Amino acid sequence: MMAGGFAALDELHQMFTGDRSPMVQDVVLDMTGALTATIIILLVEQLWRRHVAKRDRLSLLKH
């Protein structure tokens, strides 16, 4: 949501810039990028937690 807010503020700012124009498509693109990054981070975190849990289980079996 914060990414969408920042994107909207940036587009609002562009209304006052001489050679740039605000576009709703830019806000949607920014939000899509933020969502994609969030999903990737969550997937990597989940994989990392599984790896650590498996490593911990294996270390317990060795002792």
Side-chain angles (χ1 to χ4, degrees):
M1 297 234 348
M2 287 181 60
F6 282 119
L9 284 174
D10 183 46
E11 294 303 312
L12 180 67
H13 171 260
Q14 286 182 20
M15 285 188 346
F16 303 107
T17 308
D19 58 340
R20 299 184 73 185
S21 61
M23 297 181 66
V24 174
Q25 294 89 344
D26 288 343
V27 175
V28 172
L29 185 62
D30 289 343
M31 290 176 65
T32 302
L35 178 62
T36 302
T38 302
I39 290 170
I40 290 171
I41 289 168
L42 291 173
L43 288 173
V44 167
E45 181 185 21
Q46 185 178 24
L47 289 171
W48 179 255
R49 287 177 189 244
R50 285 183 183 180
H51 170 74
V52 169
K54 184 177 180 181
R55 184 188 66 197
D56 290 347
R57 283 192 306 268
L58 290 174
S59 69
L60 288 175
L61 291 175
K62 290 181 181 179
H63 294 286

